[in-house]
Amino acid sequence: MRNFKSIIGLSILLLMFNLSHAQDWANLNRYKSDNETIGLPKKGEKRVVFLGSSIIEFWKKETPDFFKESYINRGIGGQTSPQLLLRFKADIINLKPAVVIILAGSNDIAGNTGPTTIEQITDNIFAMAELAKVHRIKVVLCANLPVYDYPWKPGVFPAAKIIELNELIRNYAERNKLVYLDFHSALKDERNGTMAIYTKDGVHPNEAGYRIMIPLCEQAIKKAKK
């Protein structure tokens, strides 16, 4: 009887643990205290917030000099577009930036949070762009970086799907007069993966890769602010 009660008690604890994590599936608590500390923009500040997964998150670590005071990094490794969409109010809208940089979709193709379609990915990305527009935030939509295969999920070979997704993002940006930031063309090799000199693992840029991305990003931000 005692063992049975112990098993029931352990099961309840595990269920509570799983529920607590499920309730923050988008990891809204990751930047909660930072957002409260930063507060609203100062007078005259044209804040830029970067939203994405590990490629955005690691950017600040690889090239910290790029992230000046008005550039805020809100990347969380491994996240997919529905998680970014759930975080959009807390980590973007509430910070009242002048510009948001959105890089999303590759982890969806990898299946990080389960099977998905290109249409579902673009629905989430375009929903973020539309939310930004309602709140008078200028949008820069990024092309996903080239990937030949994912080291954590070999055999997916996503290069063609990434190109297809990027084309849909580019077309949407053109139709809606948004800025499209093409990282893909600048970094791709003959297999439509990232050139070896610019990546650590075929997915994430090294410092040299980010140094290629920086001037492209600066140009896009300048264009968006016009």
Side-chain angles (χ1 to χ4, degrees), residues 104 122 125-126 141-144 164-174 180:
T122 55
I125 294 171
F126 302 162
L141 292 179
C142 301
N144 286 273
E164 179 187 356
L165 174 60
N166 286 345
E167 185 66 11
L168 292 170
I169 293 171
R170 183 183 68 81
N171 290 340
Y172 177 87
E174 288 180 355
Y180 177 69

Side-chain angles (χ1 to χ4, degrees), residues 35-108:
N35 291 342
E36 291 170 353
T37 300
I38 289 170
L40 298 177
K42 298 170 186 173
K43 186 176 180 180
E45 178 186 352
K46 291 191 174 181
R47 181 176 286 178
V48 179
V49 183
F50 292 69
L51 181 70
S53 57
S54 54
I55 291 173
I56 293 296
E57 182 180 8
F58 297 163
W59 196 339
K60 190 172 183 178
K61 296 175 184 177
E62 290 289 338
T63 60
D65 54 296
F66 175 59
F67 281 85
K68 57 194 82 172
E69 187 178 353
S70 60
Y71 285 10
I72 298 172
N73 189 302
R74 287 296 177 262
I76 297 181
Q79 288 205 325
T80 56
S81 62
Q83 292 172 307
L84 300 177
L85 179 56
L86 284 173
R87 287 202 290 124
F88 203 81
K89 176 69 164 61
D91 288 344
I92 305 299
I93 294 170
N94 289 355
L95 294 178
K96 298 191 178 299
V99 179
V100 60
I101 312 290
I102 301 173
L103 174 57
S106 188
N107 282 340
D108 300 65

Side-chain angles (χ1 to χ4, degrees), residues 2-30:
R2 183 177 297 174
N3 287 339
F4 178 74
K5 288 182 178 179
S6 298
I7 291 169
I8 293 296
L10 179 59
S11 298
I12 291 170
L13 285 173
L14 287 171
L15 178 61
M16 290 173 66
F17 176 82
N18 288 332
L19 285 173
S20 68
H21 280 256
Q23 287 168 355
D24 195 17
W25 180 69
N27 206 348
L28 290 164
N29 283 317
R30 169 67 181 278

